[in-house]
Amino acid sequence: CVLHQFPNTPVGYKLILRKPLDLRACKAAIHAQILALCQLRFQPDELDYLASLGYFKSDFLDYLSTFTLLESAITLSDDDT
């Protein structure tokens, strides 16, 4: 939706835990997993599969083919704000 309806609008996403959990002790491990996540790329066979579903427009699949998460755009915080 954002890519097609609001292509020049910056967006953000936030994970909110519905059940209170203190994850501060896991912060280093979570950060390590975020670093690993930032290294992931869609593989051609994965993009082919997504294309075969018929849900996604070709320009979105083209976008996914070059998409990477930027570590600098991810923030871990110790609070619930």
Side-chain angles (χ1 to χ4, degrees):
C1 173
V2 174
L3 179 68
H4 293 110
Q5 301 296 327
F6 310 100
N8 297 315
T9 303
V11 296
Y13 301 91
K14 184 176 183 178
L15 173 66
I16 299 172
L17 300 175
R18 298 195 185 279
K19 182 178 180 182
L21 294 172
D22 187 356
L23 297 176
R24 288 177 290 188
C26 302
K27 190 172 182 177
I30 293 169
H31 185 257
Q33 291 301 309
I34 289 171
L35 291 177
L37 185 60
C38 291
Q39 300 303 311
L40 292 178
R41 306 292 181 270
F42 280 96
Q43 300 300 307
D45 61 322
E46 295 169 326
L47 294 166
D48 290 343
Y49 171 74
L50 292 175
S52 76
L53 296 176
Y55 302 132
F56 304 105
K57 295 182 179 182
S58 61
D59 61 337
F60 180 66
L61 294 172
D62 290 342
Y63 168 75
L64 288 181
S65 72
T66 62
F67 176 77
T68 59
L69 288 175
L70 298 175
E71 179 190 358
S72 61
I74 300 171
T75 304
L76 292 177
S77 66
D78 292 338
D79 59 17
D80 59 2
T81 59

